[in-house]
Amino acid sequence: MIEFWFEILHFTLLQSALSGLFSLLIGVFLARFLYCHKGLRLEKYLKSFGALTFVVPVMLPALAFLMLFENPYGIVSIVSVHIFLNALYCMTQLHGAYEGFITQEKEQSAELLHLTTWQRLRHLEYPTLKES
């Protein structure tokens, strides 16, 4: 009986760790992509798609993803639903932070210092977003 509870605990911790990690990575990538490529047509669609996570009940995408996979309660289907919902939410929130807290002066300073992409992430974007 105790093995059953440990198996449930293991599954829960694994799926939450995978969901959180991949949602954060995809959300940060999408937010930074939208910030760096302003004016793309794709920006409008991604923002609209991101707003769906606030409006659509959680059960609708969950059922849709569960129907896609053979094992509806497997780790792949559960993590996919979490990533779909949470990555878009993360993208929406971080994109707003990018636009609101990274000012033109900071952008110009980074250009004048000829910062590489990694240096911009480390010295400009990460500290600014961490403060917000």
Side-chain angles (χ1 to χ4, degrees):
M1 184 67 170
I2 194 98
E3 294 101 19
F4 173 74
W5 293 108
F6 279 122
E7 188 175 323
I8 289 176
L9 180 65
H10 177 263
F11 181 82
T12 303
L13 292 175
L14 179 65
Q15 69 88 18
S16 63
L18 289 174
S19 297
L21 176 70
F22 287 118
S23 295
L24 186 65
L25 289 175
I26 293 170
V28 168
F29 172 77
L30 288 174
R32 189 167 194 290
F33 177 80
L34 289 178
Y35 180 73
C36 291
H37 299 89
K38 296 176 184 171
L40 280 178
R41 278 179 150 176
L42 183 65
E43 180 179 7
K44 174 175 61 171
Y45 295 113
L46 275 176
K47 283 183 177 180
S48 300
F49 207 54
L52 285 176
T53 61
F54 297 109
V55 189
V56 174
V58 173
M59 288 307 295
L60 292 178
L63 290 173
F65 273 96
L66 290 176
M67 290 186 328
L68 288 175
F69 299 100
E70 290 179 18
N71 182 6
Y73 302 105
I75 194 149
V76 173
S77 58
I78 292 173
V79 170
S80 299
V81 172
H82 286 185
I83 290 172
F84 172 75
L85 293 171
N86 296 332
L88 291 174
Y89 177 76
C90 180
M91 176 202 68
T92 304
Q93 298 302 314
L94 281 175
H95 186 259
Y98 265 109
E99 288 183 339
F101 294 103
I102 298 181
T103 61
Q104 283 296 105
E105 290 109 20
K106 290 181 181 181
E107 287 287 332
Q108 290 171 351
S109 298
E111 287 178 23
L112 288 173
L113 292 171
H114 302 290
L115 295 180
T116 64
T117 303
W118 289 110
Q119 289 172 333
R120 285 176 54 100
L121 279 170
R122 183 171 178 227
H123 298 295
L124 172 67
E125 296 171 17
Y126 178 70
T128 305
L129 294 175
K130 187 177 172 185
E131 292 173 7
S132 67

PDB file of all heavy atoms in Angstrom, residues 2-34:
ATOM      1  N   ILE A   2       1.970   1.224   0.742  1.00  0.00           N
ATOM      2  CA  ILE A   2       2.836   2.414   0.822  1.00  0.00           C
ATOM      3  C   ILE A   2       3.524   2.684  -0.509  1.00  0.00           C
ATOM      4  O   ILE A   2       3.784   3.833  -0.844  1.00  0.00           O
ATOM      5  CB  ILE A   2       3.848   2.269   1.985  1.00  0.00           C
ATOM      6  CG1 ILE A   2       4.498   3.609   2.286  1.00  0.00           C
ATOM      7  CG2 ILE A   2       4.940   1.291   1.672  1.00  0.00           C
ATOM      8  CD1 ILE A   2       3.868   4.296   3.418  1.00  0.00           C
ATOM      9  N   GLU A   3       3.822   1.604  -1.293  1.00  0.00           N
ATOM     10  CA  GLU A   3       4.454   1.807  -2.594  1.00  0.00           C
ATOM     11  C   GLU A   3       3.535   2.581  -3.531  1.00  0.00           C
ATOM     12  O   GLU A   3       3.990   3.374  -4.352  1.00  0.00           O
ATOM     13  CB  GLU A   3       4.820   0.465  -3.257  1.00  0.00           C
ATOM     14  CG  GLU A   3       5.871  -0.317  -2.534  1.00  0.00           C
ATOM     15  CD  GLU A   3       5.249  -1.445  -1.719  1.00  0.00           C
ATOM     16  OE1 GLU A   3       4.100  -1.829  -1.978  1.00  0.00           O
ATOM     17  OE2 GLU A   3       5.931  -1.939  -0.815  1.00  0.00           O
ATOM     18  N   PHE A   4       2.240   2.345  -3.404  1.00  0.00           N
ATOM     19  CA  PHE A   4       1.263   3.047  -4.217  1.00  0.00           C
ATOM     20  C   PHE A   4       1.346   4.547  -3.974  1.00  0.00           C
ATOM     21  O   PHE A   4       1.357   5.350  -4.914  1.00  0.00           O
ATOM     22  CB  PHE A   4      -0.136   2.516  -3.904  1.00  0.00           C
ATOM     23  CG  PHE A   4      -1.234   3.286  -4.575  1.00  0.00           C
ATOM     24  CD1 PHE A   4      -1.462   3.149  -5.933  1.00  0.00           C
ATOM     25  CD2 PHE A   4      -2.035   4.154  -3.851  1.00  0.00           C
ATOM     26  CE1 PHE A   4      -2.475   3.855  -6.559  1.00  0.00           C
ATOM     27  CE2 PHE A   4      -3.044   4.867  -4.467  1.00  0.00           C
ATOM     28  CZ  PHE A   4      -3.264   4.714  -5.829  1.00  0.00           C
ATOM     29  N   TRP A   5       1.430   4.958  -2.725  1.00  0.00           N
ATOM     30  CA  TRP A   5       1.498   6.391  -2.408  1.00  0.00           C
ATOM     31  C   TRP A   5       2.823   7.012  -2.832  1.00  0.00           C
ATOM     32  O   TRP A   5       2.871   8.159  -3.251  1.00  0.00           O
ATOM     33  CB  TRP A   5       1.241   6.618  -0.914  1.00  0.00           C
ATOM     34  CG  TRP A   5      -0.168   6.279  -0.559  1.00  0.00           C
ATOM     35  CD1 TRP A   5      -0.611   5.216   0.153  1.00  0.00           C
ATOM     36  CD2 TRP A   5      -1.338   7.001  -0.963  1.00  0.00           C
ATOM     37  NE1 TRP A   5      -1.973   5.220   0.232  1.00  0.00           N
ATOM     38  CE2 TRP A   5      -2.460   6.319  -0.444  1.00  0.00           C
ATOM     39  CE3 TRP A   5      -1.564   8.145  -1.716  1.00  0.00           C
ATOM     40  CZ2 TRP A   5      -3.754   6.733  -0.643  1.00  0.00           C
ATOM     41  CZ3 TRP A   5      -2.860   8.570  -1.915  1.00  0.00           C
ATOM     42  CH2 TRP A   5      -3.938   7.867  -1.386  1.00  0.00           C
ATOM     43  N   PHE A   6       3.903   6.239  -2.735  1.00  0.00           N
ATOM     44  CA  PHE A   6       5.192   6.741  -3.211  1.00  0.00           C
ATOM     45  C   PHE A   6       5.194   6.886  -4.728  1.00  0.00           C
ATOM     46  O   PHE A   6       5.791   7.808  -5.274  1.00  0.00           O
ATOM     47  CB  PHE A   6       6.342   5.838  -2.761  1.00  0.00           C
ATOM     48  CG  PHE A   6       6.780   6.100  -1.359  1.00  0.00           C
ATOM     49  CD1 PHE A   6       6.758   5.082  -0.419  1.00  0.00           C
ATOM     50  CD2 PHE A   6       7.214   7.356  -0.972  1.00  0.00           C
ATOM     51  CE1 PHE A   6       7.156   5.325   0.879  1.00  0.00           C
ATOM     52  CE2 PHE A   6       7.612   7.601   0.320  1.00  0.00           C
ATOM     53  CZ  PHE A   6       7.583   6.583   1.247  1.00  0.00           C
ATOM     54  N   GLU A   7       4.506   5.976  -5.418  1.00  0.00           N
ATOM     55  CA  GLU A   7       4.412   6.083  -6.872  1.00  0.00           C
ATOM     56  C   GLU A   7       3.609   7.324  -7.268  1.00  0.00           C
ATOM     57  O   GLU A   7       3.995   8.051  -8.196  1.00  0.00           O
ATOM     58  CB  GLU A   7       3.733   4.828  -7.430  1.00  0.00           C
ATOM     59  CG  GLU A   7       3.757   4.760  -8.924  1.00  0.00           C
ATOM     60  CD  GLU A   7       3.174   3.447  -9.435  1.00  0.00           C
ATOM     61  OE1 GLU A   7       3.379   2.403  -8.801  1.00  0.00           O
ATOM     62  OE2 GLU A   7       2.505   3.505 -10.480  1.00  0.00           O
ATOM     63  N   ILE A   8       2.540   7.592  -6.575  1.00  0.00           N
ATOM     64  CA  ILE A   8       1.744   8.789  -6.838  1.00  0.00           C
ATOM     65  C   ILE A   8       2.556  10.046  -6.541  1.00  0.00           C
ATOM     66  O   ILE A   8       2.551  11.007  -7.318  1.00  0.00           O
ATOM     67  CB  ILE A   8       0.434   8.776  -6.014  1.00  0.00           C
ATOM     68  CG1 ILE A   8      -0.505   7.717  -6.563  1.00  0.00           C
ATOM     69  CG2 ILE A   8      -0.238  10.142  -6.025  1.00  0.00           C
ATOM     70  CD1 ILE A   8      -1.768   7.542  -5.778  1.00  0.00           C
ATOM     71  N   LEU A   9       3.270  10.054  -5.434  1.00  0.00           N
ATOM     72  CA  LEU A   9       4.105  11.201  -5.075  1.00  0.00           C
ATOM     73  C   LEU A   9       5.202  11.415  -6.115  1.00  0.00           C
ATOM     74  O   LEU A   9       5.449  12.550  -6.547  1.00  0.00           O
ATOM     75  CB  LEU A   9       4.717  11.006  -3.686  1.00  0.00           C
ATOM     76  CG  LEU A   9       5.614  12.120  -3.187  1.00  0.00           C
ATOM     77  CD1 LEU A   9       4.804  13.401  -2.985  1.00  0.00           C
ATOM     78  CD2 LEU A   9       6.290  11.714  -1.894  1.00  0.00           C
ATOM     79  N   HIS A  10       5.846  10.337  -6.552  1.00  0.00           N
ATOM     80  CA  HIS A  10       6.890  10.424  -7.566  1.00  0.00           C
ATOM     81  C   HIS A  10       6.339  10.990  -8.864  1.00  0.00           C
ATOM     82  O   HIS A  10       6.939  11.882  -9.478  1.00  0.00           O
ATOM     83  CB  HIS A  10       7.506   9.043  -7.801  1.00  0.00           C
ATOM     84  CG  HIS A  10       8.541   9.028  -8.871  1.00  0.00           C
ATOM     85  ND1 HIS A  10       8.257   8.651 -10.175  1.00  0.00           N
ATOM     86  CD2 HIS A  10       9.852   9.370  -8.860  1.00  0.00           C
ATOM     87  CE1 HIS A  10       9.346   8.752 -10.905  1.00  0.00           C
ATOM     88  NE2 HIS A  10      10.327   9.184 -10.135  1.00  0.00           N
ATOM     89  N   PHE A  11       5.194  10.482  -9.328  1.00  0.00           N
ATOM     90  CA  PHE A  11       4.571  10.966 -10.558  1.00  0.00           C
ATOM     91  C   PHE A  11       4.215  12.440 -10.445  1.00  0.00           C
ATOM     92  O   PHE A  11       4.460  13.223 -11.364  1.00  0.00           O
ATOM     93  CB  PHE A  11       3.316  10.134 -10.875  1.00  0.00           C
ATOM     94  CG  PHE A  11       2.634  10.556 -12.128  1.00  0.00           C
ATOM     95  CD1 PHE A  11       3.087  10.112 -13.358  1.00  0.00           C
ATOM     96  CD2 PHE A  11       1.534  11.397 -12.089  1.00  0.00           C
ATOM     97  CE1 PHE A  11       2.460  10.493 -14.530  1.00  0.00           C
ATOM     98  CE2 PHE A  11       0.899  11.792 -13.260  1.00  0.00           C
ATOM     99  CZ  PHE A  11       1.365  11.335 -14.474  1.00  0.00           C
ATOM    100  N   THR A  12       3.654  12.848  -9.320  1.00  0.00           N
ATOM    101  CA  THR A  12       3.244  14.238  -9.122  1.00  0.00           C
ATOM    102  C   THR A  12       4.443  15.174  -9.127  1.00  0.00           C
ATOM    103  O   THR A  12       4.425  16.224  -9.786  1.00  0.00           O
ATOM    104  CB  THR A  12       2.477  14.385  -7.797  1.00  0.00           C
ATOM    105  OG1 THR A  12       1.353  13.510  -7.811  1.00  0.00           O
ATOM    106  CG2 THR A  12       2.021  15.804  -7.574  1.00  0.00           C
ATOM    107  N   LEU A  13       5.497  14.810  -8.429  1.00  0.00           N
ATOM    108  CA  LEU A  13       6.690  15.659  -8.394  1.00  0.00           C
ATOM    109  C   LEU A  13       7.374  15.731  -9.756  1.00  0.00           C
ATOM    110  O   LEU A  13       7.820  16.801 -10.174  1.00  0.00           O
ATOM    111  CB  LEU A  13       7.669  15.149  -7.332  1.00  0.00           C
ATOM    112  CG  LEU A  13       7.209  15.290  -5.884  1.00  0.00           C
ATOM    113  CD1 LEU A  13       8.211  14.636  -4.945  1.00  0.00           C
ATOM    114  CD2 LEU A  13       6.986  16.733  -5.521  1.00  0.00           C
ATOM    115  N   LEU A  14       7.416  14.614 -10.455  1.00  0.00           N
ATOM    116  CA  LEU A  14       8.051  14.591 -11.774  1.00  0.00           C
ATOM    117  C   LEU A  14       7.280  15.453 -12.764  1.00  0.00           C
ATOM    118  O   LEU A  14       7.865  16.292 -13.455  1.00  0.00           O
ATOM    119  CB  LEU A  14       8.145  13.160 -12.290  1.00  0.00           C
ATOM    120  CG  LEU A  14       8.774  12.993 -13.676  1.00  0.00           C
ATOM    121  CD1 LEU A  14      10.245  13.404 -13.643  1.00  0.00           C
ATOM    122  CD2 LEU A  14       8.632  11.568 -14.153  1.00  0.00           C
ATOM    123  N   GLN A  15       5.959  15.287 -12.824  1.00  0.00           N
ATOM    124  CA  GLN A  15       5.194  16.060 -13.795  1.00  0.00           C
ATOM    125  C   GLN A  15       5.178  17.540 -13.447  1.00  0.00           C
ATOM    126  O   GLN A  15       5.207  18.380 -14.326  1.00  0.00           O
ATOM    127  CB  GLN A  15       3.772  15.505 -13.981  1.00  0.00           C
ATOM    128  CG  GLN A  15       2.834  15.655 -12.832  1.00  0.00           C
ATOM    129  CD  GLN A  15       2.069  16.963 -12.824  1.00  0.00           C
ATOM    130  OE1 GLN A  15       1.972  17.637 -13.830  1.00  0.00           O
ATOM    131  NE2 GLN A  15       1.552  17.319 -11.686  1.00  0.00           N
ATOM    132  N   SER A  16       5.176  17.885 -12.173  1.00  0.00           N
ATOM    133  CA  SER A  16       5.187  19.314 -11.836  1.00  0.00           C
ATOM    134  C   SER A  16       6.553  19.937 -12.129  1.00  0.00           C
ATOM    135  O   SER A  16       6.625  21.079 -12.585  1.00  0.00           O
ATOM    136  CB  SER A  16       4.791  19.532 -10.372  1.00  0.00           C
ATOM    137  OG  SER A  16       5.719  18.925  -9.506  1.00  0.00           O
ATOM    138  N   ALA A  17       7.627  19.201 -11.896  1.00  0.00           N
ATOM    139  CA  ALA A  17       8.962  19.723 -12.207  1.00  0.00           C
ATOM    140  C   ALA A  17       9.135  19.902 -13.719  1.00  0.00           C
ATOM    141  O   ALA A  17       9.626  20.943 -14.178  1.00  0.00           O
ATOM    142  CB  ALA A  17      10.036  18.788 -11.663  1.00  0.00           C
ATOM    143  N   LEU A  18       8.730  18.905 -14.499  1.00  0.00           N
ATOM    144  CA  LEU A  18       8.837  19.013 -15.956  1.00  0.00           C
ATOM    145  C   LEU A  18       7.951  20.127 -16.498  1.00  0.00           C
ATOM    146  O   LEU A  18       8.365  20.902 -17.355  1.00  0.00           O
ATOM    147  CB  LEU A  18       8.478  17.681 -16.615  1.00  0.00           C
ATOM    148  CG  LEU A  18       9.471  16.551 -16.441  1.00  0.00           C
ATOM    149  CD1 LEU A  18       8.902  15.251 -17.015  1.00  0.00           C
ATOM    150  CD2 LEU A  18      10.795  16.878 -17.092  1.00  0.00           C
ATOM    151  N   SER A  19       6.731  20.216 -15.998  1.00  0.00           N
ATOM    152  CA  SER A  19       5.804  21.257 -16.458  1.00  0.00           C
ATOM    153  C   SER A  19       6.352  22.640 -16.152  1.00  0.00           C
ATOM    154  O   SER A  19       6.329  23.532 -17.005  1.00  0.00           O
ATOM    155  CB  SER A  19       4.446  21.098 -15.777  1.00  0.00           C
ATOM    156  OG  SER A  19       3.848  19.892 -16.120  1.00  0.00           O
ATOM    157  N   GLY A  20       6.822  22.834 -14.942  1.00  0.00           N
ATOM    158  CA  GLY A  20       7.355  24.138 -14.557  1.00  0.00           C
ATOM    159  C   GLY A  20       8.579  24.524 -15.361  1.00  0.00           C
ATOM    160  O   GLY A  20       8.688  25.655 -15.849  1.00  0.00           O
ATOM    161  N   LEU A  21       9.497  23.590 -15.528  1.00  0.00           N
ATOM    162  CA  LEU A  21      10.732  23.872 -16.258  1.00  0.00           C
ATOM    163  C   LEU A  21      10.456  24.225 -17.718  1.00  0.00           C
ATOM    164  O   LEU A  21      10.903  25.259 -18.220  1.00  0.00           O
ATOM    165  CB  LEU A  21      11.674  22.672 -16.179  1.00  0.00           C
ATOM    166  CG  LEU A  21      12.966  22.803 -16.969  1.00  0.00           C
ATOM    167  CD1 LEU A  21      13.877  23.843 -16.322  1.00  0.00           C
ATOM    168  CD2 LEU A  21      13.664  21.471 -17.069  1.00  0.00           C
ATOM    169  N   PHE A  22       9.699  23.375 -18.406  1.00  0.00           N
ATOM    170  CA  PHE A  22       9.446  23.622 -19.827  1.00  0.00           C
ATOM    171  C   PHE A  22       8.539  24.829 -20.049  1.00  0.00           C
ATOM    172  O   PHE A  22       8.709  25.562 -21.019  1.00  0.00           O
ATOM    173  CB  PHE A  22       8.868  22.381 -20.507  1.00  0.00           C
ATOM    174  CG  PHE A  22       9.892  21.301 -20.707  1.00  0.00           C
ATOM    175  CD1 PHE A  22       9.749  20.067 -20.107  1.00  0.00           C
ATOM    176  CD2 PHE A  22      11.015  21.524 -21.484  1.00  0.00           C
ATOM    177  CE1 PHE A  22      10.696  19.076 -20.281  1.00  0.00           C
ATOM    178  CE2 PHE A  22      11.963  20.548 -21.672  1.00  0.00           C
ATOM    179  CZ  PHE A  22      11.807  19.317 -21.063  1.00  0.00           C
ATOM    180  N   SER A  23       7.579  25.049 -19.170  1.00  0.00           N
ATOM    181  CA  SER A  23       6.716  26.233 -19.298  1.00  0.00           C
ATOM    182  C   SER A  23       7.531  27.500 -19.168  1.00  0.00           C
ATOM    183  O   SER A  23       7.348  28.459 -19.927  1.00  0.00           O
ATOM    184  CB  SER A  23       5.620  26.217 -18.234  1.00  0.00           C
ATOM    185  OG  SER A  23       4.757  25.142 -18.420  1.00  0.00           O
ATOM    186  N   LEU A  24       8.433  27.528 -18.200  1.00  0.00           N
ATOM    187  CA  LEU A  24       9.268  28.706 -17.999  1.00  0.00           C
ATOM    188  C   LEU A  24      10.210  28.933 -19.172  1.00  0.00           C
ATOM    189  O   LEU A  24      10.328  30.055 -19.676  1.00  0.00           O
ATOM    190  CB  LEU A  24      10.055  28.570 -16.695  1.00  0.00           C
ATOM    191  CG  LEU A  24      10.871  29.783 -16.288  1.00  0.00           C
ATOM    192  CD1 LEU A  24       9.950  30.961 -15.988  1.00  0.00           C
ATOM    193  CD2 LEU A  24      11.711  29.462 -15.075  1.00  0.00           C
ATOM    194  N   LEU A  25      10.865  27.875 -19.635  1.00  0.00           N
ATOM    195  CA  LEU A  25      11.796  28.018 -20.757  1.00  0.00           C
ATOM    196  C   LEU A  25      11.081  28.496 -22.026  1.00  0.00           C
ATOM    197  O   LEU A  25      11.547  29.424 -22.698  1.00  0.00           O
ATOM    198  CB  LEU A  25      12.505  26.693 -21.033  1.00  0.00           C
ATOM    199  CG  LEU A  25      13.530  26.256 -20.000  1.00  0.00           C
ATOM    200  CD1 LEU A  25      14.063  24.870 -20.331  1.00  0.00           C
ATOM    201  CD2 LEU A  25      14.664  27.247 -19.901  1.00  0.00           C
ATOM    202  N   ILE A  26       9.953  27.901 -22.344  1.00  0.00           N
ATOM    203  CA  ILE A  26       9.220  28.289 -23.554  1.00  0.00           C
ATOM    204  C   ILE A  26       8.636  29.684 -23.395  1.00  0.00           C
ATOM    205  O   ILE A  26       8.679  30.494 -24.321  1.00  0.00           O
ATOM    206  CB  ILE A  26       8.134  27.248 -23.879  1.00  0.00           C
ATOM    207  CG1 ILE A  26       8.796  25.932 -24.285  1.00  0.00           C
ATOM    208  CG2 ILE A  26       7.197  27.746 -24.971  1.00  0.00           C
ATOM    209  CD1 ILE A  26       7.848  24.764 -24.403  1.00  0.00           C
ATOM    210  N   GLY A  27       8.102  29.997 -22.211  1.00  0.00           N
ATOM    211  CA  GLY A  27       7.530  31.323 -21.975  1.00  0.00           C
ATOM    212  C   GLY A  27       8.563  32.427 -22.071  1.00  0.00           C
ATOM    213  O   GLY A  27       8.313  33.475 -22.674  1.00  0.00           O
ATOM    214  N   VAL A  28       9.741  32.207 -21.500  1.00  0.00           N
ATOM    215  CA  VAL A  28      10.814  33.207 -21.573  1.00  0.00           C
ATOM    216  C   VAL A  28      11.279  33.371 -23.016  1.00  0.00           C
ATOM    217  O   VAL A  28      11.484  34.488 -23.489  1.00  0.00           O
ATOM    218  CB  VAL A  28      11.985  32.814 -20.645  1.00  0.00           C
ATOM    219  CG1 VAL A  28      13.219  33.650 -20.919  1.00  0.00           C
ATOM    220  CG2 VAL A  28      11.576  32.940 -19.195  1.00  0.00           C
ATOM    221  N   PHE A  29      11.433  32.256 -23.722  1.00  0.00           N
ATOM    222  CA  PHE A  29      11.852  32.330 -25.126  1.00  0.00           C
ATOM    223  C   PHE A  29      10.840  33.123 -25.954  1.00  0.00           C
ATOM    224  O   PHE A  29      11.223  34.003 -26.730  1.00  0.00           O
ATOM    225  CB  PHE A  29      12.025  30.922 -25.701  1.00  0.00           C
ATOM    226  CG  PHE A  29      12.263  30.919 -27.179  1.00  0.00           C
ATOM    227  CD1 PHE A  29      13.508  31.247 -27.692  1.00  0.00           C
ATOM    228  CD2 PHE A  29      11.240  30.613 -28.061  1.00  0.00           C
ATOM    229  CE1 PHE A  29      13.733  31.259 -29.058  1.00  0.00           C
ATOM    230  CE2 PHE A  29      11.449  30.624 -29.423  1.00  0.00           C
ATOM    231  CZ  PHE A  29      12.702  30.944 -29.934  1.00  0.00           C
ATOM    232  N   LEU A  30       9.554  32.831 -25.795  1.00  0.00           N
ATOM    233  CA  LEU A  30       8.527  33.535 -26.575  1.00  0.00           C
ATOM    234  C   LEU A  30       8.465  35.020 -26.221  1.00  0.00           C
ATOM    235  O   LEU A  30       8.331  35.871 -27.104  1.00  0.00           O
ATOM    236  CB  LEU A  30       7.161  32.885 -26.370  1.00  0.00           C
ATOM    237  CG  LEU A  30       6.954  31.529 -27.031  1.00  0.00           C
ATOM    238  CD1 LEU A  30       5.618  30.935 -26.614  1.00  0.00           C
ATOM    239  CD2 LEU A  30       7.047  31.644 -28.536  1.00  0.00           C
ATOM    240  N   ALA A  31       8.563  35.336 -24.927  1.00  0.00           N
ATOM    241  CA  ALA A  31       8.514  36.747 -24.512  1.00  0.00           C
ATOM    242  C   ALA A  31       9.696  37.517 -25.076  1.00  0.00           C
ATOM    243  O   ALA A  31       9.546  38.628 -25.590  1.00  0.00           O
ATOM    244  CB  ALA A  31       8.492  36.847 -22.992  1.00  0.00           C
ATOM    245  N   ARG A  32      10.873  36.937 -25.009  1.00  0.00           N
ATOM    246  CA  ARG A  32      12.060  37.607 -25.533  1.00  0.00           C
ATOM    247  C   ARG A  32      11.998  37.721 -27.054  1.00  0.00           C
ATOM    248  O   ARG A  32      12.390  38.729 -27.630  1.00  0.00           O
ATOM    249  CB  ARG A  32      13.324  36.862 -25.118  1.00  0.00           C
ATOM    250  CG  ARG A  32      14.566  37.632 -25.456  1.00  0.00           C
ATOM    251  CD  ARG A  32      15.780  37.061 -24.778  1.00  0.00           C
ATOM    252  NE  ARG A  32      16.879  38.005 -24.863  1.00  0.00           N
ATOM    253  CZ  ARG A  32      17.531  38.304 -25.986  1.00  0.00           C
ATOM    254  NH1 ARG A  32      17.182  37.761 -27.119  1.00  0.00           N
ATOM    255  NH2 ARG A  32      18.526  39.165 -25.975  1.00  0.00           N
ATOM    256  N   PHE A  33      11.479  36.688 -27.703  1.00  0.00           N
ATOM    257  CA  PHE A  33      11.321  36.729 -29.155  1.00  0.00           C
ATOM    258  C   PHE A  33      10.390  37.866 -29.566  1.00  0.00           C
ATOM    259  O   PHE A  33      10.685  38.621 -30.482  1.00  0.00           O
ATOM    260  CB  PHE A  33      10.780  35.382 -29.656  1.00  0.00           C
ATOM    261  CG  PHE A  33      10.514  35.357 -31.130  1.00  0.00           C
ATOM    262  CD1 PHE A  33      11.557  35.182 -32.026  1.00  0.00           C
ATOM    263  CD2 PHE A  33       9.232  35.522 -31.619  1.00  0.00           C
ATOM    264  CE1 PHE A  33      11.320  35.171 -33.390  1.00  0.00           C
ATOM    265  CE2 PHE A  33       8.975  35.506 -32.975  1.00  0.00           C
ATOM    266  CZ  PHE A  33      10.033  35.331 -33.860  1.00  0.00           C
ATOM    267  N   LEU A  34       9.271  37.999 -28.868  1.00  0.00           N
ATOM    268  CA  LEU A  34       8.328  39.073 -29.188  1.00  0.00           C
ATOM    269  C   LEU A  34       8.926  40.438 -28.907  1.00  0.00           C
ATOM    270  O   LEU A  34       8.671  41.396 -29.634  1.00  0.00           O
ATOM    271  CB  LEU A  34       7.034  38.901 -28.393  1.00  0.00           C
ATOM    272  CG  LEU A  34       6.131  37.755 -28.805  1.00  0.00           C
ATOM    273  CD1 LEU A  34       4.916  37.688 -27.895  1.00  0.00           C
ATOM    274  CD2 LEU A  34       5.714  37.900 -30.250  1.00  0.00           C
TER     275      LEU A  34
END
